[in-house]
Amino acid sequence: MEIGESKGRDPSEFSSITITGNHHELLVMRNFTRNPSILVYRKDICADPTLSVPELSLEDGQQLWEGLFYAMWFQDKPLLQESLSKEMGNLIHKLPSFRSQLVFLRAHFIVMSSHWDGLDKIRIDKFLMLVRDVLHEALVLLHNSSWDMKHILRFRSALKASILDVDHMSTPLVFHFADIYPSELKKVAGRKLKPKLVTQMIMPFVHLMPTVSLSLLKQFSKAIFDEEFWHMPSVVVQRNFGQLAKILFKYGSAEGVGKKNRQEIYNIVQRYRKLEKGLPARPLPDMDEGKDLDMEDVEEAALRLLSEKRQMDEEEEKIPRKRRKKMVVENPNIIDLDNEVWLDQKDKFLDY
C-alpha cells in the first residue's frame, strides 16, 4: 500500500509496518502522525522467532522512511520530538541482519537528502536531531561488531550511495553531517579510537575532497581534519598525522583536482606534517597586536613556505604520470547493496 492510499480510514489501522509474505507493507498515513502511538511499528519490525522476517529492500526502506519523515514533520511538541527521534534511530537495531540495517541507514539518508532543502527554519532543528540520532545508532552497530573491517567498508559504501552521493547530494545536509560525525564517532568509539580506525572512518570524506565545492571542502577541513578532532576529554587518542598527510597528499596530487581544492588539501597536509614533527600546526598569535611586523620574520616565513611548497612539488613529480591517472577520486570500495555484491577491497592509498 502506498502512503496516502489510506485516506479516510481509521488511523489506528495504519500505525505499523505489517510483514506479509516476502515483502514489507508500509501502512502509514501522513495525517495521523501527530499521534505518538505510531511507534507500535516496532513490534512488527522486531525479529520474532515465530515469524520469518525478510531482508529489507531499498525500495521498502525508502517507503518506510517517507512515512517516518512525515511522522517527524507533524510532531510539534519538543519532548515528543526528542523521544520520536530516539525511537526512530533505535529501529536500526530491530532489523534481522547487518545488510538490512545498512539498507535502513542508506534509505534514511536518501530520503533526508531529497527533502532537506525544503525544510523551513521551524522544522529544521528536529531533523538535525534525527540525523544525529540515526548516525549515532549506526556507529553503535559498528562498535558492537568490534569495528570489524568488513562492516566498516560496507558502512562507508552505504554513505557513498546515499548522503555522500555526489550526484544527489544535499550540501546543507552534508555540512551538518560533517559537523556531527567526529563527535558521534568519538562518543561511540571512546578508547577504541586508534589511528587505523580513525583513518578508516574518515576515508569517505577524503574520497570527496578533490571533487566537492570549495565551501564544502573547507567544512571538511574545519570539522573532520582540524586537529581539534583528535582531542577527547579524559581520553588520549593516538594519532598518525604522518600517515594521514601521506594519504591526503596522494589525493590532492591526483590528476584532475581543481587548483583551489588542491591548495586546500595541501594546507591540511602541511599542518599534519608539522604536527607529526611536534611543531604547532598554525602560527602562534602575536600577543602585541599593535607591534609592527619584523621584515626578517616575514622573509623567514616566506622562505619556509617556499621550502614546503618545493618539497611537495618534488614529491608530486616522483609519482609516475600513468599512476597519477589511475588515482581515481571516487571510493574504490564499491558495494552493490541491491545485488549483494560486496567487494572487500582495501583503499588504494592505505599502506597497512
Side-chain angles (χ1 to χ4, degrees):
M1 180 181 295
E2 296 293 332
I3 298 173
E5 288 184 3
S6 52
K7 185 176 181 180
R9 302 178 66 178
D10 183 358
S12 65
E13 296 180 41
F14 307 106
S15 58
S16 67
I17 302 165
T18 301
I19 301 173
T20 57
N22 294 320
H23 68 281
H24 298 71
E25 188 176 1
L26 181 66
L27 304 177
V28 178
M29 287 192 351
R30 293 184 180 184
N31 62 351
F32 88 99
T33 48
R34 288 178 182 272
N35 185 349
S37 67
I38 69 154
L39 295 178
V40 298
Y41 54 51
R42 288 180 303 167
K43 65 180 175 59
D44 292 316
I45 208 170
C46 291
D48 187 334
T50 65
L51 181 66
S52 177
V53 182
E55 295 286 353
L56 183 68
S57 70
L58 183 60
E59 181 181 0
D60 286 341
Q62 287 182 245
Q63 191 182 15
L64 167 60
W65 269 111
E66 286 287 347
L68 297 180
F69 175 85
Y70 284 103
M72 182 61 80
W73 176 278
F74 286 110
Q75 181 52 259
D76 50 10
K77 297 181 179 180
L79 290 179
L80 290 181
Q81 289 171 6
E82 184 175 347
S83 175
L84 194 60
S85 179
K86 297 291 185 186
E87 292 278 5
M88 289 180 180
N90 282 324
L91 273 179
I92 199 169
H93 301 292
K94 310 299 182 181
L95 288 159
S97 69
F98 188 66
R99 182 185 185 280
S100 285
Q101 290 167 334
L102 283 187
V103 170
F104 181 82
L105 177 68
R106 183 182 170 193
H108 162 73
F109 283 130
I110 289 173
V111 171
M112 292 301 114
S113 296
S114 67
H115 288 292
W116 200 263
D117 293 347
L119 294 175
D120 54 45
K121 62 181 181 180
I122 296 175
R123 293 183 172 90
I124 190 67
D125 285 347
K126 57 187 176 183
F127 284 100
L128 292 171
M129 175 174 59
L130 176 59
V131 169
R132 181 185 287 272
D133 286 339
V134 172
L135 171 62
H136 179 88
E137 297 306 326
L139 293 172
V140 169
L141 290 177
L142 296 180
H143 181 74
N144 292 342
S145 75
S146 299
W147 302 96
D148 179 78
M149 185 56 63
K150 290 182 180 180
H151 284 63
I152 291 174
L153 290 176
R154 293 165 182 173
F155 168 79
R156 284 167 29 181
S157 292
L159 296 184
K160 183 181 183 293
S162 55
I163 190 170
L164 300 182
D165 181 353
V166 293
D167 295 324
H168 304 94
M169 183 183 291
S170 168
T171 299
L173 175 57
V174 179
F175 261 76
H176 173 60
F177 184 71
D179 192 49
I180 64 174
Y181 192 84
S183 61
E184 293 305 314
L185 177 58
K186 290 185 290 188
K187 190 185 302 181
V188 174
R191 296 181 182 275
K192 291 186 178 293
L193 198 56
K194 305 300 182 183
K196 182 177 179 179
L197 176 58
V198 170
T199 302
Q200 292 289 350
M201 292 301 294
I202 66 176
M203 284 305 295
F205 299 94
V206 175
H207 289 304
L208 287 177
M209 293 174 74
T211 56
V212 296
S213 66
L214 183 61
S215 61
L216 191 53
L217 177 55
K218 287 182 178 292
Q219 170 68 358
F220 290 175
S221 177
K222 175 184 175 183
I224 304 295
F225 298 98
D226 191 277
E227 44 273 19
E228 290 297 323
F229 172 81
W230 311 93
H231 294 173
M232 296 176 62
S234 74
V235 178
V236 178
V237 179
Q238 299 176 15
R239 40 200 165 178
N240 191 339
F241 290 113
Q243 178 70 21
L244 286 169
K246 179 181 177 182
I247 294 169
L248 290 170
F249 177 79
K250 289 180 178 179
Y251 272 85
S253 61
E255 196 166 280
V257 180
K259 181 179 179 180
K260 291 183 178 180
N261 283 36
R262 189 190 305 274
Q263 186 56 55
E264 185 66 27
I265 295 171
Y266 282 175
N267 289 342
I268 302 173
V269 171
Q270 289 179 354
R271 294 206 319 261
Y272 280 10
R273 285 177 171 171
K274 290 179 179 178
L275 288 168
E276 183 68 11
K277 297 175 181 178
L279 302 173
R282 294 180 174 85
L284 296 175
D286 191 346
M287 300 302 295
D288 186 356
E289 296 181 358
K291 182 180 177 181
D292 293 335
L293 290 174
D294 189 319
M295 287 306 298
E296 290 185 3
D297 292 336
V298 173
E299 291 176 0
E300 182 181 347
L303 289 172
R304 186 167 60 251
L305 287 174
L306 286 173
S307 175
E308 290 177 357
K309 184 178 185 305
R310 190 178 301 113
Q311 180 185 357
M312 296 178 76
D313 290 342
E314 289 174 355
E315 290 184 16
E316 184 173 346
E317 286 301 318
K318 292 178 182 178
I319 303 174
R321 298 194 68 80
K322 288 184 178 180
R323 184 183 165 198
R324 268 191 245 178
K325 289 182 179 180
K326 292 180 181 179
M327 287 183 179
V328 292
V329 295
E330 62 183 20
N331 190 337
N333 302 305
I334 300 172
I335 295 178
D336 187 340
L337 296 177
D338 298 324
N339 297 318
E340 296 187 87
V341 180
W342 290 21
L343 306 180
D344 297 328
Q345 300 176 343
K346 281 191 174 182
D347 291 296
K348 292 187 178 182
F349 304 137
L350 291 181
D351 301 321
Y352 294 123

